[in-house]
Amino acid sequence: MKRWFSLALAAALLMGLSAPALAADAENDGTADTKINVAGQYEQGANGSQISVNITWEPMEFTYLDGAPVWDAEKHEYIGSAKPGWTEDTKTITVTNHSDTDIIANFRFDSDAGIVGAFDQNSLSLPSAVGTAADAAPSGSVQFGIVDGKISESGTLGDITVSIVRSLSTSNPNTLLTAMQNGDCVNMIGDISYTASSPAVPTIGAGKAAVVDLGGHTLNIIDGVSDPEAEIYGIQVDAGGACTLKNGVINADNGPDYGISLVPFQCNNSTLTLTDCTLKSFLAITEGSGYTMNIDHCSLSVSGSNYAFLIKNNCTLNIRDTTIESAHTGFFAYWGSENIKITLSGDIRLTGAASTIESNHVDGFLTCLPGTYNFDPSIYVNSDACTVTENGGIWTVTAK
């Protein structure tokens, strides 16, 4: 069918071009000029980069074992344990770039059933396919698995969304801010500094999903107000927007003599992801409500606020393999008490002069999953699913 269409299209083009292609002739006796009409045929080309991406994935089927282990008659071994939980299977999603531009693929899992899924990386950066053979196009993969939640019957767990955006490289602050507001992906090729003022810049709005790969460089966010009563934000992610920053340093600590107005992020009903980042702030790391914040393999320090995180209603924090330094009272303070979920996993280190993990009370908002901790996580662990042991001041949470 494809070949037939190509042939038919070629015939139609030949028919359309036949009339202008006919030659004309005229006699000239030298008393007047001969004029020849010149016609141009317009064929529209591509407008900017042309994105073509192939996405493949393994069957997204996962098993929740509820009760006694299951005997696998083919392998002659048991699957699972006597405790309910998900098997440790992961599935592969592969992205191949056939575009004439660098691209970034972003991955998100959404569930209405209370299921928590995790990717080994939330985005893939792939170079342009220009100069490569079709069968050797740039390609990359991520692994996805289910890490929390339970089911009582078989059915749909949720949806994975893969979004593809153009990628560009810059060390210019204006280019960076414009690209973020447009929801583009940016590779920083040098340190960048910009001044935040009121209102916040940049603002990432609904339907935009900006990704900034710092590339080992430093993003300096400078307080442009210096008024402690005039709270400003370095990056604002509005309702329906998303922002990912990875692989570098974010410096928003200009205090205490200057920079006491600046909070690095404001997020409202949006998503913020920090991966492989070092973040330095004078005030709290983020403000807002209704947001999801994913922090993975990071080092965070707050030198001025009483708490590193000030959390309002309807917020979710997923923190893995991260060190948090808080110089004053504690780490997590609740401004609201509805629909808050904080999950810690992997290697977690809470350091600094802070004396408490939470403000005043434990409301079941905080959960410690399998990993190692430099504090006793026992009151935050589901004892039906995990055990806690201590050795040399390091507590280890292990799934039963």
Side-chain angles (χ1 to χ4, degrees):
M1 184 68 180
K2 183 176 181 181
R3 184 177 180 182
W4 173 87
F5 175 77
S6 298
L7 290 173
L9 179 62
L13 287 174
L14 287 173
M15 291 175 63
L17 292 175
S18 59
L22 293 176
D25 59 74
E27 293 184 2
N28 191 320
D29 62 4
T31 61
D33 297 333
T34 298
K35 293 184 178 181
I36 301 174
N37 291 327
V38 178
Q41 179 177 324
Y42 173 74
E43 293 185 6
Q44 184 175 359
N47 182 15
S49 303
Q50 301 171 78
I51 294 179
S52 178
V53 173
N54 186 44
I55 303 170
T56 61
W57 58 91
E58 295 181 304
M60 291 293 162
E61 298 174 352
F62 299 89
T63 301
Y64 183 83
L65 299 174
D66 191 2
V70 176
W71 173 251
D72 188 325
E74 294 184 359
K75 297 182 179 179
H76 283 204
E77 61 184 30
Y78 284 104
I79 301 174
S81 66
K83 296 295 182 181
W86 294 96
T87 59
E88 297 181 355
D89 295 343
T90 60
K91 306 297 183 180
T92 302
I93 303 173
T94 300
V95 179
T96 303
N97 186 22
H98 295 284
S99 313
D100 65 348
T101 181
D102 297 351
I103 61 101
I104 291 182
N106 298 312
F107 303 88
R108 188 183 77 245
F109 175 71
D110 299 299
S111 174
D112 294 329
I115 303 301
V116 180
F119 301 92
D120 64 340
Q121 50 188 327
N122 292 308
S123 64
L124 280 177
S125 297
L126 296 175
S128 164
V130 174
T132 68
D135 59 356
S139 182
S141 298
V142 300
Q143 300 295 317
F144 173 78
I146 303 298
V147 297
D148 198 9
K150 64 180 181 179
I151 57 176
S152 57
E153 59 183 17
S154 299
T156 300
L157 302 179
D159 296 295
I160 292 174
T161 300
V162 183
S163 58
I164 306 296
V165 294
R166 182 175 64 94
S167 176
L168 57 89
S169 299
T170 188
S171 60
N172 182 289
N174 292 328
T175 301
L176 170 67
L177 299 182
T178 300
M180 292 181 70
Q181 291 178 161
N182 290 338
D184 289 333
C185 293
V186 185
N187 298 310
M188 283 175 44
I189 55 176
D191 294 348
I192 293 179
S193 299
Y194 71 88
T195 299
S197 58
S198 185
V201 290
T203 299
I204 302 166
K208 305 295 184 181
V211 177
V212 179
D213 188 336
L214 288 86
H217 301 292
T218 298
L219 177 62
N220 291 299
I221 306 174
I222 303 168
D223 189 338
V225 176
S226 74
D227 178 359
E229 301 300 323
E231 237 170 46
I232 59 170
Y233 309 101
I235 296 173
Q236 183 169 314
V237 191
D238 283 348
C243 180
T244 297
L245 297 103
K246 60 182 181 178
N247 304 330
V249 177
I250 304 163
N251 180 27
D253 189 355
N254 312 135
D257 297 325
Y258 191 72
I260 54 179
S261 310
L262 176 64
V263 176
F265 305 103
Q266 185 189 48
C267 302
N268 291 303
N269 300 306
S270 54
T271 302
L272 175 67
T273 300
L274 302 177
T275 303
D276 294 311
C277 283
T278 297
L279 185 146
K280 302 175 183 178
S281 178
F282 183 75
L283 294 182
I285 293 168
T286 185
E287 280 193 9
S289 61
Y291 62 78
T292 296
M293 190 170 185
N294 304 304
I295 302 172
D296 192 4
H297 289 83
C298 290
S299 175
L300 315 175
S301 65
V302 176
S303 63
S305 292
N306 285 336
Y307 288 87
F309 292 93
L310 305 176
I311 305 164
K312 295 184 179 180
N313 293 327
N314 304 311
C315 291
T316 298
L317 272 69
N318 301 309
I319 304 175
R320 181 174 69 171
D321 295 334
T322 290
T323 296
I324 306 173
E325 179 181 2
S326 183
H328 294 283
T329 306
F331 296 91
F332 305 101
Y334 307 129
W335 285 2
S337 58
E338 297 181 1
N339 196 25
I340 295 173
K341 185 174 183 179
I342 305 170
T343 301
L344 307 181
S345 64
D347 297 325
I348 300 294
R349 301 293 183 265
L350 304 183
T351 67
S355 57
T356 63
I357 296 175
E358 297 182 279
S359 60
N360 303 324
H361 58 273
V362 177
D363 279 340
F365 302 143
L366 179 60
T367 301
C368 290
L369 297 179
T372 64
Y373 302 82
N374 67 338
F375 62 92
D376 186 354
S378 298
I379 61 173
Y380 305 112
V381 170
N382 180 355
S383 59
D384 292 333
C386 298
T387 59
V388 180
T389 58
E390 186 270 338
N391 182 19
I394 297 296
W395 284 260
T396 300
V397 178
T398 307
K400 290 183 177 180

